[in-house]
Structures are given as C-alpha cells and as structure tokens.
C-alpha cells in the first residue's frame, strides 16, 4: 500500500521511468528532494504531537532517501526503494565544475542546507543543462502559489534549484496584501529550450504576479556547461 505522503511522487516516478531518456536520473533526483522535504515536515509535525512511532518510521524513510541521493542507480519502484534497507550498492560521485563558480558563488551551492541542490546542479552539468536566473516581483501573500506555478510550468524541462531574496516594496495602496517581494529563482533548464519564456508565458497573470511591478519578470542566462 502506498503511503499518502508518496502517492503523487509515485505517479511522477513512474512517468519518468516510462519516458526514460538521459534526464530521467536528474528528474528522479528532483522528486526525491521533494519527498525528503515532505517527510521532514511530516516528521516534525509528528514529534510535536507526540506521535513517536510514526516519527520514527518517517525518520527511517528520511535517512533512506538521503542515501538514495548518493545512489548510482534509481531504477525500480519508488516505495520499494525507500523501504528497502540500506545496501552497499555503488555510489555516484558528483562534482561541480569550477567554471560554474565564476557565475554562481561556490558558497551558494555548498551550504549545509543545499546538499540536494548541489547534487541536482552537478547532475545537470553532466547533461549540459543550462543555468538561468529568473528575476520577478510577486505579491507577498501569494508567493507560495506563484512558486508552485513556476515549478509546474517548468517541469519536466526545468527545475528550480533555490530562491533568494532580492528586495521588498511596501504596498502603495491601503491594502497591505499589495506589498511585493522580489525574488531571484536559480533554475536549471534543458538545453533544448534556449528561451525560458516559452515555459513561463503569462507570468504576470500567475497567482501573485502583477503588471504593476517596478520591473517585469525577466530571465538571465548564467552558465552553460562546456559540452554545449
């Protein structure tokens, strides 16, 4: 039986496996990152409620997902992979090219809380996926929905690595919900898409988007691995 926490991810995992292709491993890594976040959040909730048995089980899953991040193969059923005991299976070593750090400071990708982003970036480099930054203003109450829309619009051709604060603008009306936040989304994108605007059409009309922002949303190319 599939745990509710894994239901959506299991469907995605199966779709990726069926489509195959060179980017399958990268996409599965992105799914595992989302699973890890969900498990960690649920485990924290269980601990807060005193549900120790469930928290312990989730903790075991969390550790296993972390191990899968280092795996050389992600073939097979998702639930079985997570519930399978740790093994001595071959690990995959991923190294970020030094050239990348001329465009994205090394410390941004080597923070202790960005180990998944580090792995995704390294795998993307091996595939020739390009690095972009999306600069956009978003209405503060709807940042989460806007971010989710971006994630869905990019998938499976692009993946958001992380987001950083780039500014704040107080509401110019009587409604505090009109206040804007400026973010910079660091994105990896399949090299077949040379114009990321193809994947973010109508961005000003997304939930939280606005045509009255100080500057329109815009993409900036950051780094292209050598093979491309």
């Amino acid at each position: 039986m599939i745990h509710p926490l894994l239901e959506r991810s299991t469907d995605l995992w199966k779709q990726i496996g069926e489509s195959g292709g060179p980017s399958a491993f990268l996409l599965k890594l992105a799914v595992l990152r989302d699973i890890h976040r969900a498990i960690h959040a649920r485990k924290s909730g269980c601990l807060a409620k005193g549900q120790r048995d469930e928290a312990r089980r989730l903790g075991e899953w969390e550790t296993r997902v972390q191990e899968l991040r280092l795996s050389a193969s992600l073939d097979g059923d998702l639930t079985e992979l997570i519930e399978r005991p740790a093994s001595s299976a071959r690990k995959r070593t991923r190294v970020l090219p030094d050239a990348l750090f001329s465009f994205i400071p090394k410390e941004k990708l080597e923070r202790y809380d960005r180990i998944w982003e580090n792995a995704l970036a390294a795998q993307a480099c091996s595939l020739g996926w390009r690095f972009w930054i999306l600069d956009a203003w978003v209405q503060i109450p709807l940042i989460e929905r806007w971010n989710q829309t971006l994630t869905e619009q990019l998938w499976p051709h692009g993946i958001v690595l992380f987001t950083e604060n780039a500014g704040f603008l107080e509401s110019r009306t009587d409604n505090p919900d009109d206040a804007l936040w400026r973010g910079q989304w660091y994105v990896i994108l399949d090299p077949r898409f040379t114009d990321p605007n193809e994947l973010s059409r109508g961005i000003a009309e997304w939930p939280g988007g606005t045509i009255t922002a100080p500057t329109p949303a815009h993409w900036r190319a950051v780094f292209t691995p050598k093979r491309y």
Side-chain angles (χ1 to χ4, degrees):
M1 180 177 179
I2 299 173
H3 192 285
L5 199 62
L6 302 178
E7 191 168 358
R8 179 177 178 276
S9 297
T10 299
D11 291 339
L12 273 179
W13 192 272
K14 185 177 180 181
Q15 291 170 15
I16 295 168
E18 291 174 347
S19 61
S23 62
F25 195 98
L26 174 63
L27 297 176
K28 285 185 175 182
L29 271 182
V31 172
L32 286 175
R33 177 181 62 167
D34 290 344
I35 291 172
H36 184 262
R37 289 172 174 172
I39 290 175
H40 184 77
R42 180 70 66 86
K43 185 187 73 172
S44 297
C46 288
L47 287 172
K49 296 175 182 177
Q51 299 171 346
R52 297 188 179 279
D53 289 343
E54 180 67 4
R56 187 179 302 108
R57 180 190 182 194
L58 291 171
E60 293 172 354
W61 281 14
E62 187 176 21
T63 299
R64 180 60 183 141
V65 172
Q66 286 279 34
E67 293 170 348
L68 289 174
R69 176 177 55 84
L70 303 173
S71 177
S73 173
L74 293 175
D75 295 334
D77 179 80
L78 174 61
T79 303
E80 290 180 2
L81 285 174
I82 292 177
E83 293 185 338
R84 184 184 305 162
S87 68
S88 57
R90 186 167 59 90
K91 306 297 182 183
R92 176 175 299 201
T93 301
R94 303 181 183 88
V95 180
L96 291 169
D98 289 338
L100 175 62
F101 301 134
S102 296
F103 304 92
I104 300 178
K106 191 173 185 178
E107 58 269 20
K108 289 185 184 293
L109 287 166
E110 294 198 340
R111 286 173 31 171
Y112 76 93
D113 58 344
R114 286 185 181 161
I115 55 176
W116 284 98
E117 289 68 32
N118 187 300
L120 287 166
Q123 183 67 19
C125 285
S126 72
L127 296 173
W129 278 40
R130 296 188 172 103
F131 289 69
W132 296 77
I133 292 177
L134 171 61
D135 192 304
W137 290 89
V138 183
Q139 293 176 338
I140 291 176
L142 297 174
I143 289 175
E144 187 173 340
R145 287 184 60 190
W146 192 96
N147 189 68
Q148 182 61 33
T149 301
L150 174 64
T151 299
E152 293 172 354
Q153 291 291 111
L154 293 178
W155 185 266
H157 310 296
I159 299 168
V160 176
L161 290 177
F162 57 88
T163 311
E164 292 194 333
N165 175 40
F168 173 77
L169 184 66
E170 292 185 0
S171 173
R172 288 175 285 186
T173 70
D174 293 332
N175 185 356
D177 288 347
D178 289 336
L180 301 178
W181 178 77
R182 182 185 180 187
Q184 290 186 335
W185 283 259
Y186 286 71
V187 173
I188 46 177
L189 198 66
D190 188 316
R192 292 175 296 175
F193 290 83
T194 56
D195 181 6
N197 288 299
E198 296 178 47
L199 301 173
S200 58
R201 298 187 187 281
I203 194 168
E205 299 173 1
W206 293 357
T210 173
I211 59 174
T212 60
T215 55
H218 60 279
W219 290 91
R220 173 164 58 90
V222 177
F223 175 69
T224 300
K226 279 187 176 179
R227 64 175 286 189
Y228 283 85

